[in-house]
């Protein structure tokens, strides 16, 4: 198949199936956002507790390392007998993949806050809640955002596998293309996932730089 004919097939797909394409994009984004929100609700408080209590931190790191060695596809198939197919098992598998970077970076972020800043806060009469809100969280935020970025990219890429169990998304295009030996579907799906991942990375890198600049301006001692 020549590149010209492949390009023509891609153009033809968008001319005839643009509605279907945006439906897949929407499914992929919704699955990604829901996964990320649930993962953050679990990981951020646990990471903060881990930064304060060493045994919790050790457990979180061990747990995160264990989760990293479980292949997402294997996890999807393991969940099918218990939960069936569809969005729920896909969500569980994706949450498992998103937790390690969120947990580790949250613990790291709070551990990296210098005691000197806390001493200054206490000297200014801050209580624990004020210290957490005005010093610890702002200074830990670049690390936390980096964890969110890594988790988000992981989710976007791995959500393509959700197609295997009927959760939709851009993986539908990739696996349809593989099944039909039609590379135009594969290219559209793969490039779309790559663009979403790239946009997520660029957005969070910009946000992290802004937060770091803000921290340098407000917390220089």
């Amino acid at each position: 198949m020549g590149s010209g004919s492949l390009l023509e097939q891609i153009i033809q797909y968008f001319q005839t199936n643009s509605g279907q394409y945006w439906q897949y994009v929407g499914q992929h984004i919704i699955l990604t956002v829901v996964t990320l929100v649930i993962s953050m609700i679990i990981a951020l408080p646990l990471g903060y507790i881990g930064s304060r209590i060493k045994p919790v931190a050790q457990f979180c790191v061990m747990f995160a390392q264990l989760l990293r060695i479980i292949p997402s596809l294997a996890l999807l198939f393991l969940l099918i007998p218990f939960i069936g197919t569809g969005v729920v098992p896909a969500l569980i598998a994706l949450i498992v993949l998103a937790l390690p970077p969120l947990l580790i970076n949250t613990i790291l972020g709070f551990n990296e806050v210098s005691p000197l800043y806390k001493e200054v806060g206490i000297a200014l009469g801050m209580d624990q809640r004020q210290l957490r809100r005005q010093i610890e969280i702002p200074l830990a935020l670049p690390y936390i955002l980096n964890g969110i970025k890594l988790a988000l990219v992981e989710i976007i890429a791995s959500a393509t596998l959700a197609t295997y169990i009927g959760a939709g998304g851009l993986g539908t295009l990739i696996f349809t293309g593989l099944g039909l030996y039609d590379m135009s579907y594969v290219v559209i799906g793969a490039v779309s996932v790559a663009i979403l991942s790239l946009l997520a990375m660029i957005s969070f890198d910009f946000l992290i730089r802004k937060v770091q600049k803000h921290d340098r301006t407000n917390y220089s001692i």
Side-chain angles (χ1 to χ4, degrees):
M1 184 185 292
S3 60
S5 60
L6 178 60
L7 184 60
E8 285 165 14
Q9 285 180 316
I10 292 170
I11 292 167
Q12 188 180 0
Y13 173 83
F14 281 109
Q15 286 174 340
T16 56
N17 298 291
S18 60
Q20 183 190 60
Y21 170 78
W22 289 112
Q23 186 182 349
Y24 292 146
V25 172
Q27 289 171 348
H28 207 95
I29 291 171
I30 289 166
L31 187 62
T32 297
V33 170
V34 171
T35 300
L36 184 65
V37 169
I38 295 171
S39 302
M40 286 168 61
I41 289 168
I42 296 167
L44 299 189
L46 196 58
Y48 176 73
I49 293 165
S51 71
R52 307 299 290 265
I53 306 166
K54 266 196 172 175
V56 176
Q58 289 167 347
F59 169 77
C60 286
V61 171
M62 279 173 47
F63 179 64
Q65 288 171 343
L66 180 67
L67 293 182
R68 276 180 169 165
I69 65 172
I70 302 172
S72 50
L73 191 57
L75 188 65
L76 283 173
F77 284 122
L78 284 171
L79 289 170
I80 288 171
F82 303 101
I83 309 175
T85 58
V87 176
V88 173
L91 269 175
I92 294 170
L94 292 172
I95 288 165
V96 166
L97 288 169
L99 286 176
L102 286 169
L103 277 172
I104 289 169
N105 280 274
T106 302
I107 292 169
L108 179 65
F110 284 110
N111 283 341
E112 285 294 311
V113 177
S114 171
L116 186 61
Y117 293 110
K118 297 178 189 177
E119 288 168 16
V120 171
I122 291 165
L124 291 170
M126 291 184 184
D127 57 25
Q128 278 301 318
R129 184 179 292 181
Q130 289 171 319
L131 279 174
R132 186 166 59 246
R133 191 175 66 247
Q134 295 178 37
I135 292 175
E136 288 183 318
I137 291 175
L139 288 172
L141 195 56
Y143 294 90
I144 295 169
L145 288 172
N146 191 51
I148 294 170
K149 179 187 77 173
L150 295 172
L152 184 56
V153 171
E154 182 78 49
I155 295 164
I156 291 168
S158 301
T160 53
L161 298 174
T163 301
Y164 265 124
I165 51 172
L170 288 163
T172 310
L173 284 168
I174 295 170
F175 292 114
T176 299
L178 291 172
L180 297 173
Y181 299 101
D182 187 337
M183 282 304 295
S184 63
Y185 284 86
V186 177
V187 169
I188 292 165
V191 170
S192 299
V193 171
I195 289 169
L196 285 178
S197 298
L198 190 63
L199 287 173
M201 285 181 69
I202 291 168
S203 301
F204 270 89
D205 283 340
F206 174 76
L207 192 57
I208 290 164
R209 282 197 300 272
K210 293 285 281 186
V211 170
Q212 287 173 332
K213 187 178 177 183
H214 179 269
D215 286 351
R216 282 195 296 269
T217 304
N218 290 286
Y219 297 94
S220 55
I221 290 178

